[in-house]
Amino acid sequence: MNQTRLPLEAIFGRSPRQNLPLAVQKMNTLPHVTGPCLWLLCVPDDQITEVAQELAAHKSQWHEAVVAHMSGLHTASALDVLRKKGASAMSFHPLQTFAAEAPAESLREIYIVMEGDPAALTLGEQLARLIGAKPRRISSEAKPTYHLAASIASNFLVTLMGISREVLAKIGFSEPDARTLMQTLVDGTTANLRNLSAGEALTGPVVRGDVHTVEQHLATLKDELAGLKPFYQLMAAETTRLAVQSERLSAEKAQSILAQILSETPS
Ligand SMILES: NC(=O)c1ccc[n+]([C@@H]2O[C@H](COP(=O)([O-])OP(=O)(O)OC[C@H]3O[C@@H](n4cnc5c(N)ncnc54)[C@H](OP(=O)(O)O)[C@@H]3O)[C@@H](O)[C@H]2O)c1
């Protein structure tokens, strides 16, 4: 483990943080920096420009400063107001999900995806390695598409598991029970995905061409679960597309499955 530490000058946030001695709640109480310094803006995406504007009014000297925000979507241009003051800017996106309090170890081995000014990126790459992460540069133009992919992989996976647990609740499983029951299945799926393409990792009735199993799923989606039918139809249609694309399902079988999925007749 890398034990190198960087001197920390201050932590700014609006809420009191009793356990952090360097925390300040008012921007005008932040120390004035005159030499090289790294400012990390770890605030929600919609707050980045506003906080950058507030910082621009701060009496620090910006010519040797590097400023970074953590957004996966926005580019370094969100920090233009500080660039105009002389700072180098970058977006520095940890490609990881941090729910609630996360230990520093959760940064290890992850990718930090960054774009921006050359001087900022050089420092960004050093910082990423210092915290045990892997730096990866990206173009500014690619960021919206990159963030779309990341949100699908992380956020929608959580939504999928939320729906699966909701379905189990209908047959009496408590939330923690449903969580435990499904976890090894999810672990197995992600382990397969680590080594295989999505098409290769696919198992289940769609890729097997088991039309009657799909029909039974649709029949189960009645009454209390009827609200989930559009979700199931969309996901099953996309799964069919993946199975055909990876040449594991014939066009004929795919037609039968799609006809079943899109049938308006209640099964
Ligand atoms: N969470 C993730 O999994 C994750 C992953 C990768 C990247 N990111 C990125 O990291 C950034 C922060 O996300 P988050 O999930 O950590 O957000 P968050 O928990 O909602 O907010 C982080 C902190 O921002 C502070 N803050 C909000 N508005 C502020 C303001 N006007 N001035 C000063 N501080 C302010 C809040 O503290 P106070 O209320 O005390 O001010 C809060 O502790 C975003 O750009 C996000 O896209 C998040």
Side-chain angles (χ1 to χ4, degrees):
M1 196 198 305
N2 197 330
Q3 292 292 340
T4 312
R5 287 172 187 272
L6 292 175
L8 186 62
E9 291 288 334
I11 301 164
F12 168 65
R14 298 159 306 176
S15 322
R17 288 171 169 86
Q18 268 90 11
N19 52 348
L20 292 175
L22 292 170
V24 298
Q25 274 175 266
K26 297 233 179 292
M27 204 173 270
N28 60 13
T29 60
L30 277 171
H32 296 160
V33 184
T34 52
C37 186
L38 172 64
W39 298 74
L40 298 174
L41 276 61
C42 308
V43 299
D45 287 13
D46 291 348
Q47 298 289 309
I48 294 167
T49 307
E50 198 175 305
V51 173
Q53 265 161 1
E54 281 180 59
L55 270 180
H58 189 257
K59 287 199 180 65
S60 283
Q61 288 175 11
W62 294 100
H63 282 90
E64 291 184 89
V66 169
V67 285
H69 68 69
M70 309 293 128
S71 169
L73 172 67
H74 297 294
T75 63
S77 63
L79 303 169
D80 275 352
V81 65
L82 291 166
R83 273 173 161 164
K84 283 185 192 130
K85 295 259 171 187
S88 297
M90 66 176 156
S91 59
F92 185 86
H93 180 238
L95 186 55
Q96 181 55 286
T97 167
F98 306 100
E101 293 268 315
E105 286 69 38
S106 47
L107 292 165
R108 292 196 199 288
E109 297 300 321
I110 70 166
Y111 283 99
I112 307 261
V113 179
M114 54 188 88
E115 59 76 44
D117 302 327
L121 291 174
T122 302
L123 185 64
E125 286 176 342
Q126 288 170 357
L127 176 64
R129 292 197 182 97
L130 192 63
I131 59 177
K134 297 177 278 194
R136 178 90 186 235
R137 293 194 188 195
I138 193 172
S139 72
S140 311
E141 297 73 34
K143 280 210 77 176
T145 312
Y146 154 74
H147 192 247
L148 172 67
S151 295
I152 291 170
S154 176
N155 310 156
F156 290 178
L157 178 61
V158 175
T159 309
L160 284 178
M161 292 321 300
I163 292 172
S164 170
R165 291 174 190 181
E166 194 182 322
V167 171
L168 281 177
K170 296 291 178 211
I171 49 169
F173 281 83
S174 67
E175 212 280 341
D177 220 7
R179 208 186 301 176
T180 311
L181 187 72
M182 289 296 164
Q183 195 51 50
T184 44
L185 175 63
V186 177
D187 291 346
T189 309
T190 52
N192 288 342
L193 282 166
R194 197 163 291 132
N195 304 311
L196 301 171
S197 71
E200 290 166 335
L202 199 57
T203 58
V206 170
V207 74
R208 279 196 302 268
D210 284 343
V211 183
H212 294 298
T213 307
V214 174
E215 188 184 1
Q216 184 57 54
H217 285 173
L218 287 159
T220 308
L221 281 166
K222 281 200 287 194
D223 306 324
E224 283 181 89
L225 291 172
L228 291 177
K229 193 174 172 190
F231 154 78
Y232 183 90
Q233 287 171 309
L234 183 69
M235 292 303 288
E238 279 302 315
T239 306
T240 307
R241 186 167 73 88
L242 179 61
V244 172
Q245 216 172 42
S246 51
E247 299 181 356
R248 295 187 55 209
L249 186 70
S250 69
E252 196 188 343
K253 275 281 182 192
Q255 290 268 331
S256 314
I257 290 177
L258 287 175
Q260 189 60 247
I261 295 165
L262 301 172
S263 156
E264 278 309 311
T265 329
S267 301

